[in-house]
């Protein structure tokens, strides 16, 4: 049994972790949809097949037609399979509502940013899952049993985290880098007004080239190409250096993403292994 000080310290720790990780939900507040409360569970309980469940679920979540929106179709499949899983596990209406809410919060945290945040989302989901298995009001409540929590965690890991990058690719916008350079110590280029440019173009068009001038141009030797100016050389040098830095930065980001993915895969494989008791240090002595 834990004493009152240890229980209070653990409750404060859980609260601080939730406050830190709930920032992911606030960033995705613009794409917030309705939760499936207990009244929604009563409506879904009356459905007899998958088609009726999808129709009621689309109405409750305020989703459009699946054939018109790819995101709405994926969201509908995500929650529909979650409801089927909860029915197979024999969850109550309150447990099913809480499981759908946890999945919805996890999905909001995933699409809150286009950057890779799989580890943050995994820690956030584990903290929320823990708060529904231990009774320490007002920070947590024992809504699920231990075996139910393990089954729910395995389902979310195998269905959502295995396809984490696909969900992020579909529901987040692509990032694009716009780079602008400013040359210090150089005079800015002179921009001619549009009226003067139009006058010059008209004067060039009015001056017709005679055949004799064309023959002289063909007989005249070609003029040597002008050497590049100092400004052009400087721009070319800066461009090559910037390209090198961008290539190094891209390789560094790819290595970090690969290392993060390997760590996540190792955690997922460790969760899939059956729990084994540690071997005993010594055998029992016989008299």
């Amino acid at each position: 049994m834990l004493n009152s000080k240890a229980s209070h310290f653990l409750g404060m720790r859980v609260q601080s972790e939730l406050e830190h990780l709930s920032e992911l939900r606030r960033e995705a507040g613009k794409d917030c949809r309705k939760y499936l409360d207990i009244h929604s569970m009563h409506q879904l309980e009356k459905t007899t097949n998958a088609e009726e469940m999808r129709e009621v679920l689309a109405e409750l979540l305020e989703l459009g037609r699946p054939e018109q929106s790819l995101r709405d179709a994926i969201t509908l499949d995500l929650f529909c399979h979650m409801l089927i899983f909860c029915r197979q596990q024999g969850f109550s209406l309150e447990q099913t509502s809480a499981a759908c809410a946890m999945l919805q919060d996890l999905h909001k945290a995933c699409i809150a940013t286009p950057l890779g945040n799989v580890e943050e989302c995994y820690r956030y989901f584990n903290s929320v899952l823990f708060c529904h298995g231990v009774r320490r009001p007002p920070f947590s409540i024992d809504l699920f049993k231990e075996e139910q929590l393990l089954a729910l965690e395995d389902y979310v890991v195998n269905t959502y985290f295995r396809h984490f990058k696909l969900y992020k690719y579909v529901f987040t916008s692509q990032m694009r880098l716009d780079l602008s350079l400013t040359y210090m110590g150089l005079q800015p280029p002179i921009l001619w007004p549009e009226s003067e440019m139009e006058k010059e173009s008209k004067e060039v068009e009015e001056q017709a080239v005679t055949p004799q001038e064309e023959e002289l141009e063909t007989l005249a030797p070609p003029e040597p190409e002008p050497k590049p100016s100092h400004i052009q050389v400087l721009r070319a040098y800066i461009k090559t250096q910037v390209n090198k830095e961008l290539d190094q930065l891209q390789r560094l980001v790819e290595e970090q993403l690969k290392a993060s993915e390997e760590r996540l895969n190792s955690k997922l494989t460790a969760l899939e292994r059956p729990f084994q008791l540690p071997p005993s240090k010594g055998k029992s002595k016989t008299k």
Side-chain angles (χ1 to χ4, degrees):
M1 297 295 291
L2 295 175
N3 53 17
S4 58
K5 293 184 178 180
S7 178
H8 179 71
F9 174 75
L10 184 58
M12 294 297 293
R13 182 180 178 182
V14 171
Q15 183 186 15
S16 61
E17 290 181 357
L18 287 178
E19 290 177 353
H20 175 68
L21 295 172
S22 62
E23 294 179 357
L24 297 172
R25 296 171 54 187
R26 298 191 189 100
E27 294 178 359
K30 296 181 180 179
D31 194 28
C32 180
R33 297 185 186 274
K34 294 176 61 178
Y35 285 94
L36 298 175
D37 54 6
I38 191 64
H39 302 289
S40 303
M41 291 295 110
H42 284 293
Q43 298 182 24
L44 291 169
E45 189 182 18
K46 299 177 182 179
T47 58
T48 57
N49 51 34
E51 294 298 329
E52 294 181 1
M53 180 187 295
R54 292 174 67 90
E55 293 179 359
V56 176
L57 190 60
E59 183 179 357
L60 293 173
L61 294 177
E62 298 179 355
L63 299 174
R65 294 183 179 180
E67 60 272 9
Q68 295 180 355
S69 176
L70 178 61
R71 294 184 178 182
D72 291 345
I74 296 175
T75 305
L76 188 60
D77 289 338
L78 179 64
F79 286 95
C80 184
H81 288 292
M82 171 59 80
L83 290 174
I84 294 174
F85 166 77
C86 293
R87 285 188 178 183
Q88 293 175 352
Q89 295 294 324
F91 288 175
S92 63
L93 298 181
E94 293 80 3
Q95 292 174 341
T96 305
S97 177
C100 292
M102 285 188 285
L103 180 62
Q104 191 167 359
D105 289 340
L106 172 63
H107 183 62
K108 291 177 184 178
C110 170
I111 65 177
T113 172
L115 301 177
N117 59 343
V118 59
E119 295 184 356
E120 290 80 0
C121 292
Y122 184 75
R123 290 196 298 267
Y124 170 70
F125 177 73
N126 280 338
S127 64
V128 175
L129 198 66
F130 173 77
C131 291
H132 290 79
V134 180
R135 184 173 182 82
R136 288 191 181 94
F139 307 113
S140 60
I141 183 173
D142 54 343
L143 184 61
F144 295 93
K145 298 180 181 179
E146 183 178 357
E147 58 273 11
Q148 292 175 339
L149 288 176
L150 293 176
L152 183 57
E153 183 182 12
D154 292 339
Y155 174 79
V156 174
V157 168
N158 292 324
T159 57
Y160 194 87
F161 283 101
R162 288 292 184 188
H163 309 90
F164 190 85
K165 291 185 177 180
L166 295 178
Y167 285 110
K168 186 173 288 292
Y169 176 79
V170 174
F171 287 91
T172 59
S173 57
Q174 297 182 0
M175 297 184 64
R176 193 171 182 177
L177 177 62
D178 293 332
L179 183 63
S180 61
L181 301 177
T182 303
Y183 301 95
M184 303 299 296
L186 298 178
Q187 295 180 358
I190 301 174
L191 301 178
W192 295 93
E194 296 182 358
S195 59
E196 296 183 1
M197 294 291 292
E198 292 178 357
K199 291 180 180 179
E200 290 182 359
S201 61
K202 290 180 180 179
E203 291 177 358
V204 173
E205 291 177 358
E206 290 176 356
Q207 293 177 357
V209 181
T210 60
Q212 295 179 357
E213 293 177 352
E214 291 181 355
E215 292 179 358
L216 292 175
E217 290 179 357
T218 54
L219 295 175
E223 297 180 357
E225 296 181 358
K227 295 182 179 179
S229 61
H230 296 288
I231 297 178
Q232 294 176 352
V233 174
L234 180 59
R235 288 180 178 178
Y237 176 76
I238 294 177
K239 186 176 181 180
T240 54
Q241 294 298 324
V242 169
N243 290 332
K244 290 181 182 179
E245 293 294 334
L246 289 177
D247 293 338
Q248 294 178 2
L249 181 61
Q250 185 177 1
R251 287 195 297 268
L252 179 62
V253 172
E254 290 177 355
E255 291 176 358
Q256 292 178 355
L257 291 176
K258 185 178 180 181
S260 177
E261 185 177 359
E262 290 177 356
R263 289 195 301 268
L264 177 63
N265 291 333
S266 62
K267 291 180 181 180
L268 294 179
T269 52
L271 290 173
E272 291 179 352
R273 295 176 184 174
F275 179 74
Q276 297 179 358
L277 294 174
S280 58
K281 296 183 179 180
K283 297 181 180 180
S284 59
K285 298 181 181 179
T286 57
K287 294 182 179 180

